[in-house]
Amino acid sequence: MVHNIAGLLITMKQMREMASHLSQKPVTELTEAYHICRAEALKFQTRWVPLDYPKDSDLKKPRILLVLREHESEKTIDVKKGGRTKLARTAREWLKARGVSGAEKIKFVDTEDPFYL
């Protein structure tokens, strides 16, 4: 059985925007931005997971997944349906309220959890 996580895929630029908004000062250093955003996500009982995406590509880019759902499965969930759920819409609004540009267009993905033991 595979442990999957599904959620919104955030770029490093968007993470820095959110950190700057939350701290009310420019945040350019990625480690600082990660910790600020992770702390905010934890307040709402969600995970902020770093990953390389897409998994099976030479074009991997570091991203952050704001985890909205975790599941054990051999199959991934339908990302088109998942991206249109009330939970995904609410999460996009949550990100937009925290200064993330393009939040309404953030991609919903389902992938293997890189930290699951």
Side-chain angles (χ1 to χ4, degrees):
M1 195 65 65
V2 176
H3 186 82
N4 280 13
I5 50 178
L8 299 177
L9 196 61
I10 297 161
T11 66
M12 297 298 112
K13 176 183 179 278
Q14 290 168 323
M15 181 177 67
R16 285 191 299 264
E17 289 173 348
M18 182 173 161
S20 295
H21 179 84
L22 292 169
S23 65
Q24 299 179 345
K25 66 179 179 77
V27 176
T28 57
E29 204 271 307
L30 287 176
T31 303
E32 179 184 10
Y34 173 81
H35 289 291
I36 292 168
C37 294
R38 182 177 176 272
E40 182 71 5
L42 287 172
K43 290 179 191 174
F44 295 89
Q45 291 88 35
T46 190
R47 290 173 56 206
W48 193 257
V49 178
L51 52 89
D52 285 331
Y53 190 87
K55 183 180 171 190
D56 301 321
S57 171
D58 292 334
L59 303 173
K60 290 180 185 177
K61 295 181 180 176
R63 306 284 177 134
I64 297 294
L65 187 69
L66 175 61
V67 178
L68 302 178
R69 180 177 169 194
E70 298 187 39
H71 59 101
E72 303 287 336
S73 178
E74 293 297 322
K75 295 189 227 174
T76 60
I77 61 172
D78 183 336
V79 294
K80 286 188 180 187
K81 287 182 183 175
R84 293 190 304 255
T85 63
K86 182 177 181 184
L87 180 60
R89 287 192 310 269
T90 302
R92 286 184 180 102
E93 291 168 8
W94 183 87
L95 289 166
K96 187 175 182 177
R98 284 156 181 79
V100 176
S101 65
E104 64 282 346
K105 295 179 185 175
I106 291 177
K107 185 177 182 176
F108 182 86
V109 299
D110 186 13
T111 189
E112 206 171 309
D113 187 340
F115 298 102
Y116 187 76
L117 302 175

